[in-house]
Amino acid sequence: MKTHKIALATLAIVSLALSGCAGMGSQGAAEKSSDKADGPVTVDFWSNHPGSSKEIEKKIIADFEAANPDIKVKLTDAGKDYEEVAQKLNAALSGGQVPDVVVASDVTWFNFALNGQLEPLDDLLKKADAKPEDYNQNLYDEYKFNGSHFAVPYARSTPLFYYNKDLWQQAGLPDRGPKTWQEWNDDFAPKLKAKFPDITPLSIPDGANYMDWYFQGMIWSFGGSYSKDWTMTMSDEKSIEAGKFLQDQFKQGYFTAAKDSAVPFVAGEAVAMLQSTGSLQTVSKDGKFNVGTAFLPSPENVSGVSTGGSGVAIPAKAKNKEAAAKFLAFLTNPENNFAFSQGTGYLITRTSGSQLPEAKKYYEANPNFLTAVKQLKLTQKQDAARAFVPGGGMRIGAALDKISQGADVAETFKALDEEQQKIIDTQIKPKLK
């Protein structure tokens, strides 16, 4: 997950609000594809190159064009992060040049689909022989709305618990992550703090940089949630309990918030961190110590892991939908999916992809990557309050920043519930079937 600034996010939300719920005023029925048989068709692919993947994307495009000489693919730099891509697409939908394929993040795709701005993919994927049943169904079905899928998994990730094995051992801790947040608080964190008083036990991204994503799993592990269906629940007792736990971690000096939690971790200024699986490659390369990975702490039989990252979608106003679907299928086929995963650290999203001989060999040599694959079985869909409410993650992150700095948890969460519920009731519910 790439970092973003509050000012940018605010600008995006203002822009979206002006054109109707995340910037997608309804355009009516999707236009039919204008693919033509006469001459090469050009597919415009908008990407922010997740995980510094531009060269990987170029290689996949070259291979696709070699196999499909009647289709050309133009790779467009659509922004440095997911928010900028969504903002650029929003502007294009208001009268600019719309792409044929676009990267859409976990918190941007829904409102485009809600307002009829994304093409339902099910029929197009069948025509392209994309074998959608081979996608990890938990990830694939996250893009399902009103009976149709509006994206396929691309740069998908989960949060991971990373730790410095060398310092871990010096503190007398077992070579594993804490099983629960309570074990972290009662055993792991105190030992780390006592052994390394000048080093923070754990680094976490701040509220402007997706703390709301990492706290999603923590609030679940306490029995709370951001929302249930379309009803906000951050004022519930268990949600407040999780918020107070988070606040206490900062008070005790067990947590520190950073723009990028990997920076203090790699520099040896934090013993552990919460970070995306998409950081595996970079951390493994840049860390000057033995890096360990573990599942996020959570009680047994309770999911404490959310998914995130991005998929790829086809806008409803795209000109070359069938060619776009063919490229989308190639971009995410098992072989390319593995190559993308290996080069970035993002998850393999194809069931058959993780069974490839080269994948099995890679996991044997790089067990940290296998942690992410195994943890995928424990994930659940994000709460709508973060993933589907326009600006929801930004508001939750801002609230978490407040409580980490000492604001009253119950009052802060109550105010957030009221603000978010108003948006749900006025901007989303009227458009739901």
Side-chain angles (χ1 to χ4, degrees):
M1 301 280 289
K2 298 297 180 184
T3 58
H4 65 291
K5 299 181 181 297
I6 290 179
L8 175 60
T10 303
L11 176 61
I13 296 304
V14 170
S15 174
L16 300 179
L18 288 175
S19 51
C21 188
M24 278 80 54
S26 178
Q27 297 292 322
E31 296 179 2
K32 294 183 179 180
S33 170
S34 62
D35 293 353
K36 297 180 180 180
D38 52 333
V41 169
T42 298
V43 170
D44 192 4
F45 173 34
W46 284 14
S47 178
N48 63 306
H49 322 301
S52 302
S53 59
K54 188 172 184 177
E55 294 307 313
I56 300 173
E57 291 175 336
K58 285 182 177 179
K59 173 65 167 55
I60 292 174
I61 289 171
D63 291 343
F64 175 78
E65 290 180 338
N68 299 273
D70 58 332
I71 303 174
K72 300 297 181 182
V73 178
K74 174 187 176 185
L75 180 59
T76 298
D77 295 327
K80 70 176 185 295
D81 54 33
Y82 297 138
E83 286 72 27
E84 285 196 1
V85 176
Q87 189 177 12
K88 183 175 180 179
L89 177 60
N90 179 66
L93 291 169
S94 298
Q97 183 65 41
V98 176
D100 298 291
V101 176
V102 63
V103 170
S105 85
D106 55 331
V107 298
T108 61
W109 76 270
F110 176 76
N111 283 290
F112 285 103
L114 178 66
N115 289 279
Q117 307 289 359
L118 296 183
E119 183 74 9
L121 295 180
D122 301 81
D123 290 341
L124 285 171
L125 292 178
K126 289 179 182 178
K127 290 181 180 179
D129 194 25
K131 297 179 175 59
E133 68 279 1
D134 187 46
Y135 290 112
N136 177 286
Q137 290 303 297
N138 286 342
L139 297 178
Y140 183 48
D141 285 346
E142 288 188 11
Y143 303 110
K144 192 173 184 178
F145 174 60
N146 281 344
S148 299
H149 294 85
F150 288 87
V152 299
Y154 181 47
R156 295 307 307 266
S157 59
T158 66
L160 272 186
F161 186 96
Y162 293 76
Y163 61 100
N164 183 321
K165 285 193 170 190
D166 300 335
L167 299 183
W168 220 248
Q169 184 178 32
Q170 292 178 40
L173 295 174
D175 188 13
R176 63 171 177 84
K179 295 179 180 178
T180 64
W181 282 115
Q182 201 60 52
E183 183 182 33
W184 162 264
N185 184 71
D186 296 345
D187 185 26
F188 282 57
K191 287 180 178 177
L192 292 170
K193 192 69 175 176
K195 182 66 177 179
F196 310 108
D198 297 325
I199 303 177
T200 301
L202 187 143
S203 173
I204 184 173
D206 61 29
N209 294 285
Y210 301 122
M211 188 192 295
D212 49 290
W213 187 51
Y214 298 93
F215 185 65
Q216 174 75 95
M218 186 181 292
I219 199 172
W220 283 341
S221 73
F222 277 80
S225 61
Y226 291 153
S227 61
K228 294 291 186 184
D229 295 323
W230 295 108
T231 300
M232 292 296 301
T233 56
M234 293 192 72
S235 297
D236 290 1
E237 180 180 352
K238 293 297 184 180
S239 300
I240 293 174
E241 180 184 350
K244 289 182 177 179
F245 177 85
L246 177 68
Q247 187 177 67
D248 287 342
Q249 294 304 297
F250 285 99
K251 286 182 178 179
Q252 296 176 92
Y254 294 162
F255 279 18
T256 186
K259 180 179 180 180
D260 182 353
S261 61
V263 172
F265 179 67
V266 170
E269 298 170 0
V271 188
M273 73 167 181
L274 299 185
Q275 190 51 263
S276 165
T277 55
S279 296
L280 271 168
Q281 193 70 266
T282 300
V283 171
S284 299
K285 180 179 65 175
D286 295 345
K288 307 302 180 183
F289 49 83
N290 292 317
V291 177
T293 58
F295 293 176
L296 292 186
S298 185
E300 191 174 355
N301 299 321
V302 175
S303 175
V305 187
S306 63
T307 60
S310 62
V312 278
I314 297 175
K317 296 179 70 175
K319 295 180 179 180
N320 304 303
K321 292 173 186 173
E322 291 185 7
K326 197 169 185 178
F327 171 67
L328 186 151
F330 188 88
L331 176 69
T332 61
N333 71 24
E335 291 75 18
N336 288 329
N337 185 214
F338 168 68
F340 185 86
S341 173
Q342 185 180 20
T344 61
Y346 283 104
L347 295 168
I348 288 184
T349 61
R350 288 280 194 174
T351 302
S352 61
S354 59
Q355 301 303 314
L356 294 171
E358 55 267 38
K360 292 181 177 180
K361 184 178 179 180
Y362 185 75
Y363 290 146
E364 288 178 4
N366 300 275
N368 281 339
F369 285 76
L370 189 58
T371 302
V373 175
K374 291 180 177 179
Q375 185 181 239
L376 187 57
K377 299 177 182 178
L378 306 177
T379 61
Q380 65 175 344
K381 292 174 63 174
Q382 296 184 63
D383 293 338
R386 178 183 188 270
F388 298 157
V389 176
M394 182 187 69
R395 293 186 196 88
I396 296 170
L400 297 178
D401 270 343
K402 288 180 181 179
I403 66 171
S404 70
Q405 296 162 12
D408 184 86
V409 175
E411 291 181 1
T412 302
F413 282 5
K414 181 176 183 294
L416 179 61
D417 269 0
E418 293 173 351
E419 183 179 12
Q420 292 264 96
Q421 194 64 54
K422 184 177 180 180
I423 294 171
I424 291 171
D425 292 342
T426 60
Q427 295 187 28
I428 298 178
K429 283 186 176 180
K431 298 181 180 180
L432 296 174
K433 289 184 180 179

